[in-house]
Amino acid sequence: MAAASCVLSEDQFLCSICLDVFTDPVSTPCGHNFCKNCITEYWNINVPVQCPICKEIFTTKPELHVNTFISEMVAEFRQSAQQKASSSSSVSKPGEVPCDVCTGTKLKALKSCLVCLTSYCETHLEPHLTKPGLKRHQLIDPVENLEDRMCTKHDKPLELFCKTDQTCVCTLCHVSDHKMHDVVPLEEGYEGRKVELGKTETEIQQMIQKRQLKIQEIKQSVDLSEKDADREIAKGVQVFTALMESVERGLNELMDTIKEKQKSTENQAKVFIKELEQEISELKKRSSEVEQLSYSENHFHPLHNVQSLKAAPPTKDWTQVSIRPLYEGTVVRAVSQLEEKISLEMKKLLEGELKRVQQYVVDVTLDPDTAHPSLILSGENKKVCPGDLKRNLPDSPKRFSLNPCVLGMQSISTGRFYFEVQVKGKTAWDLGVAKESINRKEDIPLSPEDGYWTIWLRKSNKYKALNDPPVHLSLKSPPQKVGVFVDYEEGLVSFYDVDAAALIYSFTGCSFTEKLFPY
């Protein structure tokens, strides 16, 4: 039996009525085999009673008995087919479509039939690949919920795609509701959509790659920031340690100086006291002599010695002698020296800071479309100076109409930005950065609230940072070249005297939400 089953094909065990493997196979008197239930129902609805294959007519319904021989062979075949399916097909896993026909262990479906609304594994799919009637059924890749592929209105497969309404329709929908629409077969619609999906997938993948690169960039920035932070901390510790050592050293020197002067004062006082005590001793001695002469009964002796008393050396005039502190102003001089040392350290730090921000330098070109008509741009739009006459220029939205201003063409909306402006010999100027949406047609105050972060010079020596409120600036010397640095994320705008490597002013805690342009 096992040997026989190896050479028998599935076709030999298929019922010609249900086109499936026999269930309770029975034989008719003419020798053909059918499922017992299939042939019984066939005879119940068909008259006369005849064989569905050879059309032999029977006067009465034959008595049917299960053909045990064929039944055993079918059982053997089912077992063999199941083993074959198990070896060639995989068991359905979560997320995969299972075969609807398999009993017991559900195998993975290979195809779904839109006509039968059933999904089949490799074994149960065989009739759809071999039987002429089933070959006309529409097979698709396995999907769950096949009922969703049926038109709810006409109960027919959704075999067409309406490009006009971008929806799947059946043949009756096409005739009734979509007659004048652009309707194509589902496969064609899928191919068109597949191209769009491919483009979308490509765009999504590119967006994913960009974001992955941005993640790497951010991580690298964090690593660099951490290294910068460590470096700045080390630099800060070094500078402040040096300053504290300098302060401590200056304090010790101040204390030593004051103590030495105090000791000198004490020594001077001791000399004065000793000298005074000596004079007091001599004066007491003379006082005693005078007292003896004044009480003498010998009239000759006082008169004779009066000349010797007058000839005694005069005493020192102590009215102008005093002990004055020798350390007055010592603290002031010590603090002044310390201030000079700190100023030198500050200058070194500012020089390093200026070099750091200068690495973000941008070659700014002035934008002639923004320049006020009275301004003259020259030197490939690198210089600006006032003109004598107001030129007749188009009043574009970008142009300043009232105030003589001009913007740079370059802008910043992220990161850092640095540029320099020559102001040598000028008696008045404004410079800084301005946001893109500033009002260019009216006389608007130059303030952060109105979109300007600037400093200015008036009357050759009056400097001011136009904050809210404005801040008067006291500069040691007029700057010849001003550097402007912007850190967009930090919300920082700083101005430097480039030649002196000195910080002029900083706007801090700014909140930027749009492009900034050199002003």
Side-chain angles (χ1 to χ4, degrees):
M1 180 67 69
S5 65
C6 294
V7 296
L8 293 175
S9 67
E10 185 178 6
D11 292 346
Q12 296 172 286
F13 299 100
L14 295 181
C15 171
S16 57
I17 297 177
C18 69
L19 301 177
D20 203 350
V21 179
F22 288 125
T23 302
D24 296 332
V26 295
S27 300
T28 60
C30 59
H32 294 109
N33 301 308
F34 305 94
C35 297
K36 184 177 181 180
N37 188 56
C38 291
I39 191 62
T40 301
E41 290 185 359
Y42 181 82
W43 283 340
N44 287 338
I45 62 175
N46 288 281
V47 179
V49 178
Q50 61 180 0
C51 176
I53 298 177
C54 67
K55 305 302 181 183
E56 180 179 345
I57 297 175
F58 308 107
T59 56
T60 59
K61 287 184 181 180
E63 186 177 354
L64 299 174
H65 300 281
V66 175
N67 188 323
T68 55
F69 176 73
I70 295 179
S71 181
E72 291 177 357
M73 292 188 65
V74 168
E76 182 75 16
F77 174 78
R78 285 184 183 276
Q79 183 179 1
S80 175
Q82 188 72 21
Q83 292 175 351
K84 178 182 177 182
S86 299
S87 62
S88 61
S89 303
S90 59
V91 176
S92 174
K93 300 176 182 177
E96 295 179 338
V97 179
C99 175
D100 294 327
V101 182
C102 287
T103 58
T105 302
K106 294 284 188 179
L107 299 182
K108 177 182 176 182
L110 294 184
K111 292 290 181 181
S112 295
C113 178
L114 291 179
V115 178
C116 303
L117 295 181
T118 305
S119 297
Y120 299 101
C121 66
E122 182 179 1
T123 301
H124 295 117
L125 181 64
E126 185 69 22
H128 280 76
L129 303 178
T130 58
K131 295 300 179 181
L134 296 178
K135 282 184 177 180
R136 291 192 296 270
H137 290 192
Q138 185 175 355
L139 297 176
I140 61 172
D141 289 335
V143 292
E144 291 183 315
N145 302 323
L146 281 168
E147 293 78 6
D148 295 341
R149 301 295 297 264
M150 299 297 291
C151 176
T152 56
K153 184 177 181 181
H154 302 108
D155 198 26
K156 285 187 171 295
L158 299 172
E159 301 175 304
L160 303 173
F161 180 72
C162 177
K163 289 185 176 180
T164 306
D165 293 337
Q166 293 291 300
T167 185
C168 297
V169 298
C170 70
T171 54
L172 294 180
C173 289
H174 182 199
V175 176
S176 58
D177 302 330
H178 300 264
K179 187 174 182 179
M180 304 303 295
H181 293 181
D182 184 8
V183 177
V184 298
L186 206 59
E187 294 80 0
E188 184 178 338
Y190 169 72
E191 291 300 326
R193 181 60 59 87
K194 187 176 181 180
V195 173
E196 296 178 6
L197 291 175
K199 292 180 180 178
T200 303
E201 174 65 15
T202 300
E203 293 174 357
I204 292 174
Q205 290 300 324
Q206 289 175 350
M207 294 172 67
I208 291 173
Q209 290 177 2
K210 288 181 180 179
R211 281 152 180 77
Q212 289 175 338
L213 290 174
K214 180 56 69 174
I215 289 174
Q216 294 179 2
E217 179 185 332
I218 292 173
K219 288 182 177 179
Q220 290 175 355
S221 298
V222 171
D223 292 339
L224 291 175
S225 176
E226 186 177 0
K227 292 178 182 177
D228 289 343
D230 292 340
R231 185 166 54 251
E232 287 299 310
I233 290 174
K235 185 191 297 183
V237 169
Q238 180 181 0
V239 170
F240 276 86
T241 300
L243 288 175
M244 288 188 290
E245 290 176 351
S246 180
V247 170
E248 187 175 359
R249 186 165 52 250
L251 177 60
N252 291 333
E253 291 174 356
L254 172 65
M255 293 170 63
D256 291 342
T257 300
I258 293 174
K259 288 178 180 179
E260 288 177 2
K261 290 185 176 183
Q262 173 63 17
K263 186 175 182 180
S264 175
T265 299
E266 291 175 355
N267 292 335
Q268 187 180 25
K270 288 180 180 179
V271 172
F272 287 158
I273 290 172
K274 184 176 181 180
E275 189 174 347
L276 285 167
E277 287 177 344
Q278 290 177 348
E279 289 188 2
I280 290 172
S281 177
E282 291 178 2
L283 288 171
K284 285 182 177 180
K285 181 179 179 182
R286 289 174 61 82
S287 175
S288 176
E289 292 176 354
V290 170
E291 184 179 4
Q292 289 177 3
L293 290 173
S294 63
Y295 288 103
S296 175
E297 295 180 358
N298 184 352
H299 297 149
F300 171 77
H301 193 265
L303 295 174
H304 177 74
N305 292 311
V306 70
Q307 294 298 327
S308 63
L309 290 174
K310 290 182 179 179
T315 58
K316 183 177 179 179
D317 184 7
W318 289 91
T319 58
Q320 301 299 321
V321 177
S322 64
I323 299 296
R324 295 186 179 89
L326 301 177
Y327 40 80
E328 291 180 354
T330 304
V331 174
V332 174
R333 287 190 294 273
V335 172
S336 178
Q337 292 175 357
L338 180 61
E339 185 179 11
E340 290 180 4
K341 292 179 181 178
I342 293 176
S343 296
L344 290 174
E345 290 295 330
M346 282 295 298
K347 184 174 179 60
K348 292 179 183 178
L349 287 174
L350 284 171
E351 288 174 350
E353 175 69 10
L354 185 58
K355 289 181 179 179
R356 183 185 70 82
V357 302
Q358 283 176 333
Q359 67 180 317
Y360 302 103
V361 65
V362 175
D363 187 16
V364 172
T365 304
L366 301 176
D367 186 355
D369 292 337
T370 66
H372 186 272
S374 67
L375 296 179
I376 299 174
L377 304 186
S378 59
E380 297 181 346
N381 295 330
K382 294 290 187 180
K383 300 179 181 179
V384 59
C385 60
D388 296 330
L389 298 175
K390 186 175 180 180
R391 294 171 296 162
N392 186 18
L393 297 175
D395 188 19
S396 67
K398 295 174 61 177
R399 191 178 305 283
F400 289 93
S401 301
L402 189 60
N403 294 323
C405 310
V406 62
L407 298 181
M409 298 184 70
Q410 292 71 24
S411 65
I412 178 176
S413 58
T414 185
R416 295 163 181 170
F417 185 97
Y418 175 84
F419 63 94
E420 295 179 349
V421 183
Q422 286 278 3
V423 295
K424 183 178 180 180
K426 303 298 179 182
T427 58
W429 46 257
D430 313 346
L431 61 88
V433 293
K435 64 182 183 180
E436 187 175 24
S437 63
I438 53 173
N439 189 327
R440 311 182 190 199
K441 305 301 180 183
E442 300 178 12
D443 188 13
I444 301 297
L446 298 182
S447 69
E449 184 179 356
D450 295 294
Y452 295 88
W453 292 266
T454 58
I455 62 173
W456 77 9
L457 166 68
R458 294 291 185 270
K459 299 180 181 179
S460 299
N461 61 359
K462 304 295 183 183
Y463 295 93
K464 187 182 292 185
L466 303 180
N467 208 333
D468 189 16
V471 179
H472 292 277
L473 303 175
S474 178
L475 307 183
K476 292 183 178 180
S477 60
Q480 309 296 306
K481 184 190 298 181
V482 176
V484 183
F485 173 69
V486 178
D487 189 325
Y488 198 92
E489 283 74 23
E490 185 71 18
L492 173 70
V493 181
S494 294
F495 297 85
Y496 296 89
D497 182 338
V498 177
D499 297 324
L503 177 65
I504 298 175
Y505 186 78
S506 287
F507 292 87
T508 59
C510 308
S511 179
F512 303 129
T513 58
E514 56 184 273
K515 289 182 181 179
L516 300 178
F517 289 84
Y519 167 83

